[in-house]
Amino acid sequence: MKQDYGDNILSLEDIHTYYENIHALKGITCTIPQGSIVCLIGANGAGKTTTLLTISGVESARRGRILFEGREIEKLPPEKIAALGIAQSPEGRQIFSRMSVLENLEMGAYLRKDKEGIQKDMEWVFSLFPVLKDRHRQMGGTLSGGEQQMLAIGRALMQQPKLLLLDEPSLGLAPKIIEKIFETIQEINKNGMTIFLVEQNAHMALTTSDIGYVMETGRIVLEDDASALLENEEVQKAYLGE
Amino acid sequence: MLGQEIKKLVVYTIFLTIIILPMLGFTGGAEFQAKRAFVVLGVGVALLVLNLIVKVIRSHRPLPEHDQPSITERIADRLHQIPKIFTIGPLLLAAVIFPLVANNYMIDVGITCLIYVCLGLGLNIVVGLCGLLDLGYIAFYAVGAYSYSLLNLTYGFSFWAALPIGVVLGMICGCIIGYPTLKMRGDYLAIVTLGFGEIIRLVLNNWDDLTAGPNGLFGMKRPPLYYPAFEEGGLEMVTYYLTSLPGLFYFILVIVILTTIGVNRLDKSRIGRAWIAIREDEVAAELSGVPTTWIKLLAYAMGAGFASIAGAFFAAKLSYVNPNFFLFMESCIVLCIVVLGGIGSIPGIIIAGFILIAVPEVFRELEGFRMLAFGAIMTTMMIIRPEGLIPASRRKRELHHRRDEAERGSK
């Protein structure tokens, strides 16, 4: 059984999203408690990325409600949602490759006006990912895969979000770097930020998270505490390869 | 190595023969002018042989330890280091002196160059900064030109009164093409904008009642200047119409300077940053809170606005417009200016504007060969220097860092 984690920062209620005629999300319902790490695992094409993009407003839900801090956001454009405090680090390390690392981070703070706060957060991002500080003048596109992932997360953090959405932070990275990134994710969470994580690397995601959701072809098929899911036989068979 | 080079030489020679002999041999009549054709072919082949010799000599020299930046890149580097006053000052001085020493033909070409620089700077916003490929850009130039012509001929609006109206109309047209294409990119966008450019031209060509069709409109007043004069009845404003070529040259020079300052400001602003972010990755820009819809429409509107200014000036200068001034070819030339100059680079575009407009004039003597020379220069440029004449500092830095990386990797 799921434990009670207190107030939900975000809840999705029966979300349906379509790409033209393809029914990508077929009624997603899930909740993300304040201050937790929640992960959504599932195979390729299950609709994980679509779920995140629907939350951020890049894709629009045809049916259902999304509540962020009690406010309906499913009809808002992406920039309004970003302004409310939801930041997303997109899949496949979509950084601005012909901008320097510094400029990438500054783009993250695009909506912010508080110069001191931006400077402080910049320092914080550099302390989380010291390699970014070493390369702050380098073009984003010339970074290695792991560094680009760090930059994408850093850029999202520069938005000073209340909820951080991470789309496959482990994609295409070496095991050692994946570990480092997940450690940092936990550190960010300890700072009080709620994190919603989408992953194919089920083992890493579930050991890091508090709550887990399992997704299959546009539907959520399982939800439980992450530790319970790790023990779940079906999950072990399908996603943990045991 | 040598064998391969010789093979290349033979292939190129055959290629040149096929192109040059018929093209230069049969100018003006059916008679084959062997001497002229073979002289040009000889020069071409000699250049190829020289190239081969240089290559062979180079291959015998030991490789330099560090990958030296190419000479043009070094020049660009230097240019960025020199304080602006020393680079811009002499350029401006040259521009100011130019009409005093040049003949009317040269001034006329100079004016055309400046008009195209203005167009290039405007298109740079759409293509260079925002990354939206626009093949129908000349349509906004046409809108500016026809707005002034119609307002002046029908209602007697002066240039200064018609200019803002033309700019606003141009911006509206920019938004009209921008809105339906918001979700398009690359090839699709190029095709739609191409179609839009043709639509505008065809409307101008066929709406006889308004635009006089292919006959065009004529008799527009030149741009006026007003200055105060003391007369019997007190202070009076005297209108002076700029009819002389040097006067018009200075006028468009001022427009280009203002455009350059404007585009430069935009480039460095928050909006400019947002445009570049959209060019790099639209979804990521959206997620960072950039209102992509508005910012993209703004790019179209700003680009169209600058083209309208150039168009209004063009109509006023010539006192004549007809739809054939606004062919697809013109859009292509403006796009070439942006690409050749270095996408996103303001100084590059200014230089490319002069090269692309002035070079065909220089080659006028070559007759049928002229556009071929033009094409050859473009092709060669894109092969040897894809980043443009003066790459934008952003691009240059990127290349610079690549080199740093390579050096670090080799240690």
Side-chain angles (χ1 to χ4, degrees):
Chain A
M1 265 317 287
K2 250 172 69 178
Q3 279 179 30
D4 192 12
Y5 284 91
D7 286 351
N8 293 324
I9 188 166
L10 183 86
S11 52
L12 274 63
E13 294 171 10
D14 193 31
I15 288 295
H16 292 257
T17 302
Y18 291 73
Y19 289 111
E20 307 281 313
N21 291 322
I22 300 163
H23 200 168
L25 299 186
K26 302 167 185 162
I28 299 287
T29 300
C30 66
T31 54
I32 295 164
Q34 182 84 44
S36 63
I37 302 183
V38 177
C39 73
L40 179 63
I41 58 175
N44 243 346
K48 305 187 299 292
T49 297
T50 312
T51 309
L52 287 194
L53 290 176
T54 308
I55 296 171
S56 317
V58 175
E59 299 296 336
S60 51
R62 207 175 279 185
R63 222 163 73 206
R65 286 206 311 167
I66 303 174
L67 293 171
F68 179 65
E69 296 187 311
R71 192 178 158 180
E72 282 190 33
I73 59 164
E74 74 275 1
K75 298 256 169 2
L76 295 180
E79 69 270 14
K80 291 266 166 56
I81 293 175
L84 284 176
I86 299 181
Q88 181 176 344
S89 145
E91 186 185 18
R93 307 188 281 271
Q94 292 176 326
I95 50 151
F96 304 117
S97 45
R98 278 184 282 170
M99 282 188 178
S100 71
V101 168
L102 203 64
E103 287 170 322
N104 263 279
L105 294 176
E106 281 167 6
M107 264 322 287
Y110 185 78
L111 291 170
R112 294 171 66 180
K113 300 271 193 291
D114 55 324
K115 280 203 173 140
E116 279 172 32
I118 293 173
Q119 197 51 43
K120 230 179 84 197
D121 278 357
M122 190 85 82
E123 293 302 322
W124 178 49
V125 169
F126 283 151
S127 71
L128 289 172
F129 305 112
V131 63
L132 293 184
K133 186 165 194 175
D134 300 340
R135 316 213 149 191
H136 70 280
R137 288 178 59 86
Q138 203 168 317
M139 289 291 135
T142 63
L143 298 177
S144 74
E147 289 161 357
Q148 290 191 10
Q149 184 60 60
M150 292 172 197
L151 182 56
I153 297 175
R155 188 183 61 202
L157 289 176
M158 288 303 291
Q159 288 181 41
Q160 209 182 24
K162 295 168 187 155
L163 172 65
L164 177 65
L165 309 175
L166 297 176
D167 197 348
E168 304 240 11
S170 76
L171 191 73
L173 300 182
K176 228 178 165 179
I177 296 166
I178 295 178
E179 242 170 68
K180 156 86 182 98
I181 283 181
F182 274 89
E183 268 169 33
T184 314
I185 290 172
Q186 276 177 318
E187 202 180 325
I188 295 165
N189 176 247
K190 282 201 190 100
N191 257 327
M193 201 176 285
T194 313
I195 292 171
F196 187 31
L197 179 70
V198 154
E199 260 300 339
Q200 278 197 63
N201 187 335
H203 183 77
M204 208 63 220
L206 288 172
T207 42
T208 313
S209 310
D210 303 311
I211 299 172
Y213 287 91
V214 181
M215 203 169 176
E216 256 169 37
T217 56
R219 285 192 180 84
I220 287 184
V221 291
L222 262 177
E223 54 174 292
D224 209 334
D225 283 338
S227 50
L229 282 179
L230 270 174
E231 302 298 319
N232 186 306
E233 260 180 51
E234 283 173 59
V235 174
Q236 283 183 352
K237 232 196 230 156
Y239 301 105
L240 299 172
E242 283 169 30
Chain B
M1 153 77 196
L2 190 63
Q4 216 174 6
E5 288 299 325
I6 289 173
K7 211 188 277 171
K8 252 194 215 168
L9 178 76
V10 173
V11 173
Y12 286 165
T13 308
I14 293 170
F15 192 66
L16 268 184
T17 315
I18 293 170
I19 291 181
I20 289 177
L21 285 187
M23 245 180 163
L24 287 182
F26 294 104
T27 43
E31 221 168 291
F32 184 69
Q33 293 167 302
K35 190 182 158 206
R36 178 184 156 139
F38 279 107
V39 165
V40 176
L41 180 65
V43 171
V45 175
L47 280 176
L48 285 175
V49 173
L50 202 67
N51 180 34
L52 175 76
I53 293 169
V54 169
K55 266 190 185 161
V56 169
I57 292 171
R58 270 206 191 153
S59 70
H60 284 291
R61 260 199 317 212
L63 282 172
E65 273 187 33
H66 284 294
D67 199 17
Q68 285 287 322
S70 74
I71 188 152
T72 38
E73 216 167 287
R74 264 181 290 166
I75 290 171
D77 257 332
R78 285 279 161 76
L79 281 179
H80 281 287
Q81 280 165 11
I82 303 169
K84 282 232 167 89
I85 185 94
F86 292 114
T87 48
I88 295 175
L91 263 179
L92 274 182
L93 197 67
V96 170
I97 295 173
F98 176 73
L100 305 176
V101 295
N103 60 28
N104 273 355
Y105 169 68
M106 282 158 76
I107 298 174
D108 200 36
V109 173
I111 292 175
T112 315
C113 288
L114 287 171
I115 290 177
Y116 276 85
V117 167
C118 192
L119 286 173
L121 289 172
L123 185 63
N124 180 45
I125 295 176
V126 185
V127 177
L129 296 182
C130 205
L132 303 161
L133 185 54
D134 188 344
L135 289 182
Y137 187 66
I138 213 71
F140 308 124
Y141 182 57
V143 168
Y146 269 88
S147 301
Y148 170 64
S149 307
L150 289 169
L151 286 170
N152 185 265
L153 292 177
T154 326
Y155 301 107
F157 276 50
S158 80
F159 182 78
W160 297 110
L163 189 65
I165 300 174
V167 170
V168 169
L169 283 175
M171 286 176 138
I172 291 171
C173 283
C175 292
I176 289 175
I177 178 67
Y179 191 74
T181 57
L182 278 173
K183 291 280 165 204
M184 286 182 198
R185 293 216 76 136
D187 326 359
Y188 303 101
L189 183 62
I191 292 167
V192 174
T193 51
L194 175 82
F196 180 77
E198 284 302 287
I199 289 170
I200 294 272
R201 190 178 66 81
L202 289 172
V203 166
L204 295 176
N205 207 15
N206 292 310
W207 195 350
D208 283 343
D209 301 336
L210 186 72
T211 66
N215 294 331
L217 298 166
F218 54 90
M220 287 81 78
K221 291 268 192 321
R222 301 293 168 88
L225 290 180
Y226 305 100
Y227 59 93
F230 297 99
E231 309 244 328
E232 269 176 49
L235 193 70
E236 237 177 84
M237 295 304 275
V238 180
T239 311
Y240 167 70
Y241 288 100
L242 282 172
T243 43
S244 72
L245 278 175
L248 288 165
F249 181 87
Y250 288 126
F251 190 80
I252 182 74
L253 186 64
V254 171
I255 292 182
V256 167
I257 291 170
L258 293 179
T259 307
T260 311
I261 295 171
V263 173
N264 197 27
R265 278 284 176 85
L266 278 172
D267 190 3
K268 299 213 161 80
S269 70
R270 217 169 111 81
I271 293 169
R273 195 56 80 75
W275 281 333
I276 295 169
I278 289 174
R279 180 188 73 193
E280 293 300 310
D281 194 311
E282 204 171 331
V283 172
E286 227 170 352
L287 291 172
S288 300
V290 175
T292 46
T293 310
W294 293 112
I295 297 282
K296 275 165 93 173
L297 279 182
L298 192 65
Y300 276 114
M302 297 302 297
F306 285 116
S308 293
I309 296 175
F313 172 81
F314 174 71
K317 176 216 158 204
L318 213 59
S319 249
Y320 174 64
V321 285
N322 87 47
N324 281 334
F325 289 136
F326 311 107
L327 297 174
F328 172 59
M329 184 63 199
E330 307 297 317
S331 290
C332 285
I333 289 177
V334 180
L335 189 64
C336 287
I337 288 173
V338 175
V339 175
L340 183 74
I343 290 176
S345 146
I346 293 172
I349 287 165
I350 293 173
I351 291 173
F354 276 87
I355 291 179
L356 281 195
I357 303 305
V359 163
E361 295 298 328
V362 174
F363 284 139
R364 209 167 260 288
E365 287 171 20
L366 296 175
E367 295 152 43
F369 197 54
R370 180 171 149 224
M371 283 324 274
L372 186 79
F374 179 81
I377 290 176
M378 273 310 280
T379 316
T380 321
M381 265 305 294
M382 283 302 102
I383 291 171
I384 61 173
R385 203 164 165 71
E387 73 273 31
L389 285 171
I390 301 183
S393 50
R394 193 174 299 287
R395 297 260 313 149
K396 199 170 61 62
R397 248 189 301 164
E398 180 189 13
L399 293 168
H400 192 67
H401 280 296
R402 284 238 180 89
R403 267 207 310 279
D404 286 355
E405 279 289 270
E407 275 169 30
R408 219 175 300 159
S410 66
K411 269 174 198 167

